[in-house]
Amino acid sequence: MIDALHIAATGLRSGQQQLDTISNNVANLQTPGFKASRVNFADIATPLPALGETPATPIGEQHVGGVRITSTSTSFEPGEMRQTGNPLDVAIDGTGFYEFEAADGSLVYSRSGQFRVDEEGYLRNFQGLRLAGDVQIPREGTDMRISPEGEVTVQMPDELERTVVGNIEVVRFAAADAMRSIGDNLYAVTQQAGTAVYGRAGDDGAGKLRQGQMEMANVEIIEEMSSLVLAQRAYQLNARVLQAADQVMDTINNLRR
């Protein structure tokens, strides 16, 4: 019965995190650039010792069976491209991330390309983080344009030719799905994700930039609702196992009286 309680408890704990992950996906259905997460499970099994060997874990502390969460991975499948007409909305059509400078000096990454221009002419995201790179828009510059390759140009007063004011690079990782979500649609690099590869948009497999467009979340509501139903049923099943084990233990306890 103790094993049954442990198995049910691991199932409830893992099921709760799965429900939280699915709920977060559904809540961000309309968040531009959001990427859905998935919970990965593994069975818990205590290996049996060889004949004559002493178990590594005392018998009374061993737990047989159950489930645990090995990781939470992110799906970077592309979302729908939506036309906005806003020149500061720039979507990545393909593989890659924007690189931003966090307040503590670290570098973080995002697929969301909803920018604004600060007082110094730098591009920032909605959280106020500055886009890494050399792009700086002059105060007198107008009609900002961003090419599919990331070249940023403006029209300066009394000049016939457009002026190049910087380039937006696209950053890629060998294993992007291993990046760690830190909230606000931002991701941090992990050792498993590999090192950042910087490049011109559209080169070597990097996605091209689409000015005036916004990438929507890649959440499929039907798939999420199906997963939610399955997760709820699994949670209910583990709760019933826990209740049944408690009832059996209660019956056994009453037999001793």
Side-chain angles (χ1 to χ4, degrees):
M1 286 302 102
I2 299 299
D3 286 343
L5 291 173
H6 171 74
I7 293 171
T10 61
L12 289 170
R13 190 179 301 113
S14 301
Q16 182 61 60
Q17 185 165 340
Q18 185 182 24
L19 288 170
D20 292 343
T21 300
I22 296 172
S23 298
N24 184 61
N25 289 343
V26 174
N28 286 279
L29 182 63
Q30 298 297 325
T31 301
F34 177 81
K35 298 302 178 184
S37 298
R38 290 288 178 268
V39 177
N40 303 312
F41 298 96
D43 292 333
I44 299 174
T46 303
L48 295 175
L51 186 63
E53 290 186 358
T54 302
T57 306
I59 297 297
E61 298 178 13
Q62 290 185 12
H63 299 298
V64 182
V67 66
R68 65 184 176 88
I69 294 175
T70 57
S71 64
T72 301
S73 58
T74 303
S75 169
F76 285 100
E77 290 294 319
E80 174 194 356
M81 291 290 177
R82 182 172 297 179
Q83 193 79 27
T84 67
N86 184 348
L88 291 176
D89 287 340
V90 188
I92 300 177
D93 187 6
T95 305
F97 298 85
Y98 293 113
E99 184 177 70
F100 295 93
E101 299 175 2
D104 60 0
S106 63
L107 297 175
V108 294
Y109 303 87
S110 178
R111 289 278 301 181
S112 178
Q114 290 183 292
F115 299 116
R116 64 177 180 83
V117 181
D118 66 14
E119 295 180 354
E120 298 177 345
Y122 294 108
L123 295 177
R124 295 182 180 271
N125 66 1
F126 272 18
Q127 290 79 33
L129 302 185
R130 176 180 159 183
L131 180 70
D134 59 352
V135 179
Q136 187 174 18
I137 313 298
R139 288 181 178 272
E140 59 273 20
T142 59
D143 189 24
M144 183 189 74
R145 295 181 187 176
I146 302 174
S147 73
E149 292 73 33
E151 184 179 76
V152 184
T153 62
V154 295
Q155 185 66 55
M156 300 297 291
D158 304 323
E159 292 188 11
L160 296 178
E161 298 293 329
R162 299 183 62 83
T163 302
V164 178
V165 295
N167 287 274
I168 298 177
E169 289 187 312
V170 172
V171 186
R172 293 176 293 129
F173 296 90
D177 56 351
M179 297 181 73
R180 177 171 56 89
S181 175
I182 57 176
D184 290 332
N185 222 1
L186 299 171
Y187 300 89
V189 180
T190 64
Q191 186 175 1
Q192 294 76 16
T195 57
V197 178
Y198 300 84
R200 181 183 175 91
D203 289 352
D204 300 325
K208 291 189 175 184
L209 304 187
R210 305 298 183 192
Q211 186 178 20
Q213 296 186 38
M214 184 168 57
E215 182 189 16
M216 301 305 295
N218 66 349
V219 178
E220 294 289 343
I221 187 62
I222 296 177
E223 180 180 345
E224 296 299 329
M225 295 307 294
S226 299
S227 298
L228 180 62
V229 170
L230 292 174
Q232 287 176 330
R233 293 296 175 265
Y235 191 91
Q236 290 174 351
L237 178 60
N238 281 287
R240 289 177 181 175
V241 170
L242 190 68
Q243 184 180 18
D246 176 64
Q247 291 173 347
V248 171
M249 292 178 68
D250 182 62
T251 301
I252 295 172
N253 185 59
N254 289 333
L255 289 174
R256 294 179 180 177
R257 295 178 182 178

